[in-house]
Amino acid sequence: MPKGLLSIVVGNTPAARGLVVDNLLRAAPHAVVLSASIHCRDSGYPVVQRFATGTGVPQSMPRAATGDPVVILRQDLLAIRRSAKAPHTVLALSDDLDLLPFLEELWRPRMGASALGDYYAPAPVLAGIEPATFLAELGCVHRAARLWDGADRTDPLTQAEIAARRVEAADGLIVAASPNAADRRAGGVAVLARHLNPSATLVDASWQPGPGLELPSSFLRPAPDALEEWRARLEPVAASRPLPVTDQGVSSVVWQTRRPLHPERLAEALPTVMAGVVRSRGHLWLSSRPEAVVTWRSAGTHMELRAADRWLESETDSAWRAASPQRRTLASWFWHDYYGERRNEITFTGTDLDPDRLRSALDAALLDDTELSLGADGWADFPDPLLGDLPR
């Protein structure tokens, strides 16, 4: 049996998700649609509800089950491919998933089980965005949710963080048009989405009148190296790909340097650094944690620093093998005989950003030559109000 094509669709509202599914079905009218929602509980596995439509869908497929969503949806997809033999299946997912780690786990071969990759080739991940809801989500940092990431539930994530991740996980972004012709938010949201995910293909529905959208042909073809791309986006050390232009006041600024940061001075610089920032992501070399990759992320007014991994060292063969090909390549490009791959890189996206002020504030938080000469043992004495002092 030849491989079928599997499209993954998400959206920040049911209508935005439905817009993407409807237009995929216009382009591929014989596709099967599997809609799934995952309802996390306080403990144990979540409840997985799903509904399949299309010619040849197995009639015995249950509507709800409690268990591992990866296992349940993999079984559903394999049953659809074996029974319906449809050349194209659309998997429409609810917002209860941390999408990229979930997809990586869904596609990962397991001993004694059929691999999804033997039956399907992944198409680009598509996200529908309803502009007003998206702007409201980016402003919501007081409400948090724990998503299912394919193995367990995540730590609590703000609605702003969830909204940003949804955009950054997609290969194609479809910004829905407002029913109010005077509402110009769709254009601004499209610009912001393009800055958050410059590599994605953007379809702005507000510029395509009529009931149907003209979707790019790439949305209906397999995405090359999709699994490797998902893994690379999840790495704590990744390359920035910012847009070099400013549109409607939205711009992106990249800060890069190869010197550790003083945690106390960094904390003092944050009000200046974060002025006007809507989203920021990157990794730090923090002097108080010289062995750790400290991830930096913010969405809306919420910011988080976390020691997420260890820097690659020349003698750690197992760590190099576990890293994605993209990270190994980056480490080779930036390798320093003494510091290894250690470096700082953060991308800031926002409105009316002042690049010189932002970079100057961060540069002032770097260790000076005298502090640098103290080495890691001396850096341990610097107070760390951000991650806390390590026990001595």
Side-chain angles (χ1 to χ4, degrees), residues 33-49:
V33 178
L34 175 62
S35 300
S37 59
I38 289 81
H39 304 280
C40 293
R41 304 182 298 167
D42 291 337
S43 61
Y45 282 122
V47 177
V48 184
Q49 293 183 318

Side-chain angles (χ1 to χ4, degrees), residues 5-7 17-18 21-22 24-26 28-36 49-63 73 76-77 79-81 83-92 120:
L5 185 67
L6 181 61
S7 293
R17 186 166 56 248
V21 172
D22 289 346
L24 278 176
L25 289 178
R26 286 190 180 93
H30 300 295
V32 169
V33 178
L34 175 62
S35 300
Q49 293 183 318
R50 58 257 200 249
F51 182 74
T53 57
T55 304
V57 172
Q59 297 300 311
S60 60
M61 286 183 61
R63 296 289 182 88
L73 292 180
D76 288 346
L77 290 168
I80 288 171
R81 184 68 186 127
S83 176
K85 298 182 174 59
H88 192 175
T89 299
V90 177
L91 176 59
Y120 289 99

Side-chain angles (χ1 to χ4, degrees), residues 212-385:
L213 300 176
E214 184 179 347
L215 297 181
S217 59
S218 59
F219 288 4
L220 301 171
R221 295 197 298 263
D225 304 319
L227 185 56
E228 286 190 7
E229 180 64 24
W230 297 338
R231 286 190 62 200
R233 295 184 195 181
L234 291 170
E235 287 277 17
V237 179
S240 299
R241 291 178 286 187
L243 283 183
V245 298
T246 299
D247 191 358
Q248 299 191 36
V250 178
S251 61
S252 294
V253 177
V254 178
W255 178 71
Q256 298 170 313
T257 187
R258 185 143 220 172
R259 183 174 287 227
L261 282 153
H262 191 293
E264 193 170 43
R265 292 204 295 273
L266 176 60
E268 294 170 352
L270 289 180
T272 300
V273 170
M274 300 305 293
V277 173
V278 175
R279 174 63 163 168
S280 60
R281 292 184 66 192
H283 54 271
L284 301 179
W285 177 13
L286 205 59
S287 60
S288 58
R289 302 286 197 287
E291 305 304 320
V293 179
V294 176
T295 56
W296 167 305
R297 71 182 187 197
S298 74
T301 58
H302 182 268
M303 179 182 171
E304 178 182 292
L305 298 180
R306 176 176 297 188
D309 199 355
R310 294 179 65 85
W311 297 107
L312 295 176
E313 306 285 358
S314 58
E315 67 274 8
T316 53
D317 292 343
S318 60
W320 280 85
R321 288 194 298 270
S324 70
Q326 289 87 340
R327 181 175 177 185
R328 293 196 297 267
T329 300
L330 279 176
S332 299
W333 284 349
F334 291 101
W335 194 259
H336 186 280
D337 288 341
Y338 186 73
Y339 296 131
E341 69 163 342
R342 291 173 177 82
R343 59 193 177 90
N344 302 293
E345 183 170 322
I346 311 170
T347 300
F348 300 88
T349 297
T351 55
D352 302 320
L353 298 182
D354 185 334
D356 292 335
R357 184 189 63 182
L358 190 156
R359 294 189 178 109
S360 295
L362 287 169
D363 288 345
L366 296 170
L367 299 191
D368 59 31
D369 291 344
T370 300
E371 293 166 331
L372 191 65
S373 68
L374 298 175
D377 291 338
W379 304 342
D381 293 329
F382 298 155
D384 187 348

Side-chain angles (χ1 to χ4, degrees), residues 135-177:
L135 293 175
E137 289 171 328
L138 285 178
C140 182
V141 297
H142 59 277
R143 194 158 48 89
R146 297 182 66 192
L147 309 184
W148 192 265
D149 67 0
D152 202 349
R153 297 175 71 193
T154 63
D155 292 332
L157 299 172
T158 66
Q159 295 301 311
E161 178 67 28
I162 293 170
R165 289 191 185 197
R166 185 193 305 113
V167 169
E168 292 162 351
D171 303 299
L173 300 169
I174 296 87
V175 179

